[in-house]
Amino acid sequence: MNAIELATVSAVARRTAVPERRRAASLSSHWLGLVLEELDYGVLLLNQRGELLHSNRAARLAMDARHPLQLLGGQLRARCAKDVKPLFEALAHAEREGRRCLLRLGEGAEQANVVVVPLNRDVEQAAVLLVLERRELCGALAAQWFALRYGLTPAETEVLKALSDGAEPSSVAQAQGVAISTVRTQIQSIRAKSGAPSIRELLRQLAVLPPLMSALYN
């Protein structure tokens, strides 16, 4: 193969490589978007001005009328006046200086934690990731998977969900209209089936389940 032929082959290879790289980058971006949609933690991707670049389904569901943050026209806003300055200072420090922080926003029962994470390494344009706290120890789908895995009855599954929400056995019994002895028997059955030696260990097992979104939200 002479020099002209080699140059032609090289030029064709370069032209072929560019679309392939673009296709790979597009697929990676698509897969990343799908991964974020499956997480049961709300995540928001922003710039330092609070302009929304991306949000996942969990974030959109979490940011209802009770949440201390809201999105208006693609712009992140704090509902309480006292949160405005800390929020935007945190965004600016994250994007410019790579500083992480934990914010406690809102008032009273509507308070919520938000983690601010800088995304400024090896990128042309820095961004900021906000991770919202979950309102539940264990999501509905995770509890259902746990119940299916260990063969819990429907009644035991409801007890499990109530415990994961922080309810005491007496409160569960009252809510379900049964005797406290019935709930205690159901808890013992759940522990026996799952191998948890205590309610504390049972709740720990629930807490460490993978945080995946429920297909019911589709």
Side-chain angles (χ1 to χ4, degrees), residues 135-138 159-168 203 206:
R135 288 177 174 165
E136 299 175 319
L137 173 67
C138 174
V159 170
L160 178 71
K161 291 179 180 178
L163 293 175
S164 71
D165 286 337
E168 295 291 335
L203 295 179
L206 290 171

